[in-house]
Amino acid sequence: MRLTAQAEILVAHTEAVLERLERAEADLAASLEGISGVLRVAAFQTAALALVPATLTRLREAHPGLRVEITQTEPETALPALVARDFDLVIAEEYPDDPAARPAEIEQAELCRDELRLAVPRSALRRLDGPGASLERLADHPWVMEPAGTASRRWATTLCRRAGFEPDVRFESTDLLLHLRLVEEGHAAAFLPDLVWDGRTASVALRPLPEEQGVRRLFTAVRRGSGRHPAVRAYRDALLAAAEARTRPRMWGGGGRFRGWERPPEGLD
């Protein structure tokens, strides 16, 4: 089935009407004293862990009348739900060479960049010692990745293929804390973002990735026309402040990009 030319015209007008309604709601809210009401936010796991709590603290102090409801869900689910009006704001991510779709009904705003790193068990460190170390040395090592079809999985698989191998993905989960646990216990290698650590000392050895492939983009998305709603603006401001205040993880493993490791601290070798 396909829309007729006349139906396409009606759809275009409907999108314009909905945007005007969003703008009208924003203007009405801006005319009131103080920021109140309910703001429904969707966030993926690492953003929910590392950024959302500090954002809520800032909002509680600045706008106690605003009720913020948080749902942890992946962008693949959250962005269509935003268009369907199930959420008012979505925190989403975009991986290198895998641009996120930009529906006409959605407005995006930059949030921050989050570095991605190779995480390896201690038992695999010897593979990465010495000159010329590269990702290829983990070609036969087990991996944990997010499920097939996700942006993270597409990016990770492409990175391994560029290094000349197909990753042996034995474990699949959207829970990055499970990824970390499997690396800690020596069962798999993984790609982990810095937000996992939230400024804490890393518990596994981390190796920086090639610069053009080692950073994901975080952004917020709202329905077109609602970006100037006072509650949306207040949340975005608090979220941006929380992102700017975050610190990089403290690492015991190191070295340059695909170069030799430094020795771990006493007790970690």
Side-chain angles (χ1 to χ4, degrees), residues 27-244:
D27 290 343
L28 285 173
S31 71
L32 303 174
E33 291 187 9
I35 298 177
S36 60
V38 178
L39 184 71
R40 301 162 301 168
V41 176
F44 60 94
Q45 185 189 37
T46 47
L49 286 170
L51 301 178
V52 167
T55 301
L56 294 176
T57 299
R58 294 172 186 271
L59 287 172
R60 181 179 59 195
E61 296 169 353
H63 307 290
L66 178 62
R67 174 188 172 96
V68 181
E69 298 177 352
I70 305 292
T71 299
Q72 181 186 314
T73 187
E74 297 303 306
E76 290 87 351
T77 301
L79 291 171
L82 173 68
V83 176
R85 304 183 70 84
D86 293 331
F87 299 114
D88 302 307
L89 183 145
V90 170
I91 305 173
E93 60 185 346
E94 184 177 81
Y95 282 81
D97 298 330
D98 190 39
R102 301 199 179 197
E105 307 96 325
I106 289 179
E107 296 175 345
Q108 293 187 11
E110 295 295 317
L111 178 55
C112 64
R113 305 279 170 160
D114 187 28
E115 188 156 356
L116 301 153
R117 303 177 193 270
L118 170 65
V120 293
R122 298 173 195 168
S123 59
L125 280 177
R126 291 182 179 85
R127 298 185 182 209
L128 300 174
D129 282 338
S134 71
L135 189 60
E136 185 180 0
R137 294 190 180 184
L138 296 174
D140 61 347
H141 198 279
W143 289 83
V144 55
M145 294 184 181
E146 294 195 36
T150 60
S152 171
R153 178 63 171 270
R154 290 192 297 270
W155 165 79
T157 301
T158 299
L159 199 61
C160 292
R161 288 173 178 170
R162 286 177 177 173
F165 68 94
E166 191 70 22
D168 176 13
V169 182
R170 298 190 191 179
F171 314 101
E172 288 189 353
S173 175
T174 58
D175 186 349
L176 294 192
L177 297 183
L178 174 58
H179 291 212
L180 171 59
R181 202 72 188 99
L182 289 169
V183 178
E184 288 175 334
E185 294 296 325
H187 297 298
F191 296 111
L192 295 177
D194 279 359
L195 281 184
V196 165
W197 311 105
D198 194 20
R200 300 187 305 274
T201 300
S203 58
V204 297
L206 299 177
R207 171 67 60 84
L209 298 172
E211 292 183 6
E212 69 278 6
Q213 290 296 318
V215 179
R216 65 175 175 172
R217 166 182 170 256
L218 272 59
F219 62 94
T220 57
V222 298
R223 288 183 298 279
R224 188 167 297 280
S226 68
R228 60 184 185 183
H229 192 289
V232 170
R233 293 175 63 180
Y235 189 90
R236 275 178 160 169
D237 288 345
L239 181 63
L240 185 60
E244 291 175 345

